[in-house]
Amino acid sequence: MNDLSAPAARLRALAPSCGPVRLVAVDGHAGSGKSTFATRLAAALGDAPVLRLDDLATHTSLFTWTDRLREQVIEPLSRGERAHYAPYDWTARTFGAPRALDPAPVVLIEGVGAGRRALRPHLARLLWMDLPAAESWARGRRRDGPALSAFWDGWTAAEEGHFSADPSRPHADTLIRQLPVGYAWAEGPRPAAGGEPLSHGR
């Protein structure tokens, strides 16, 4: 499916999950295509806000950003208020100026661990980029080049540890597979409650 307008409409029709917001997670292994997919889906949703978890993780806390996400984003959105979070600068190794995130009808959270246990109660849908870990990581390494090889070594070990303790895929409502053109959508391991799958086939 190259045109994302139909699944976007289904997402907009969901019941709010975090105050007035339908919070939709895009999870998957590093290198699986989450960022590109989330950007395209956001456009289909009328430029929905996208929170990138790379902005919350740091060199020393790749997966221990849950408290910051809850305090800076989840709690304000649940009250229908504008959220503000401090994005991490991976070059300067420090947090930057606060960035606003409005309580739009649909807000996307994109990144490894977006479907983690602590976030699932706040999600309207959990979408999983269905590309195996080894293939995803190989794509990511090719994209980033040899200069980041050491970082990827540490990252893959940390990601394996995270998903071993707190897997997202078994709880996904929808599996997304990238095609040469567009995406295939399939029902996930956890069937969507109270409605049809977002889409069928391509």
Side-chain angles (χ1 to χ4, degrees):
M1 175 179 287
N2 196 30
D3 181 4
L4 298 178
S5 58
R10 289 181 183 271
L11 290 174
R12 284 193 295 266
L14 295 172
S17 60
C18 182
V21 174
R22 294 149 188 85
L23 205 59
V24 176
V26 179
D27 202 343
H29 298 290
S32 61
K34 298 179 303 301
S35 296
T36 299
F37 172 75
T39 297
R40 293 177 179 174
L41 180 58
L45 286 161
D47 294 324
V50 182
L51 174 63
R52 312 280 183 181
L53 291 179
D54 283 350
D55 288 336
L56 295 183
T58 72
H59 284 88
T60 56
S61 71
L62 295 176
F63 290 102
T64 54
W65 37 257
T66 308
D67 289 345
R68 286 198 305 279
L69 178 62
R70 184 185 68 251
E71 294 166 6
Q72 298 177 11
V73 176
I74 299 295
E75 290 178 358
L77 292 183
S78 70
R79 298 190 296 267
E81 300 171 359
R82 173 178 288 179
H84 294 86
Y85 64 97
Y88 183 69
D89 186 323
W90 287 85
T91 301
R93 293 179 176 246
T94 187
F95 289 102
R99 186 177 295 169
L101 184 71
D102 289 324
V106 180
V107 173
L108 303 180
I109 296 185
E110 174 270 316
V112 179
R116 71 193 312 170
R117 185 181 302 112
L119 299 187
R120 288 197 290 271
H122 306 287
L123 299 179
R125 280 293 184 272
L126 170 51
L127 313 181
W128 175 266
M129 301 302 294
D130 206 27
L131 190 69
E135 190 174 346
S136 297
W137 296 338
R139 283 177 50 173
R141 286 179 182 270
R142 286 194 301 271
R143 176 194 65 202
D144 293 343
L148 290 180
S149 179
F151 174 81
W152 269 96
D153 291 343
W155 172 269
T156 54
E159 186 181 308
E160 281 185 318
H162 167 72
F163 281 135
S164 291
D166 192 354
S168 295
R169 190 184 187 281
H171 303 278
D173 301 293
T174 306
L175 302 179
I176 311 295
R177 185 165 52 86
Q178 189 172 1
L179 303 172
V181 177
Y183 298 90
W185 296 59
E187 188 171 309
R190 188 191 76 169
E196 304 173 19
L198 291 177
S199 184
H200 299 277
R202 296 188 178 188

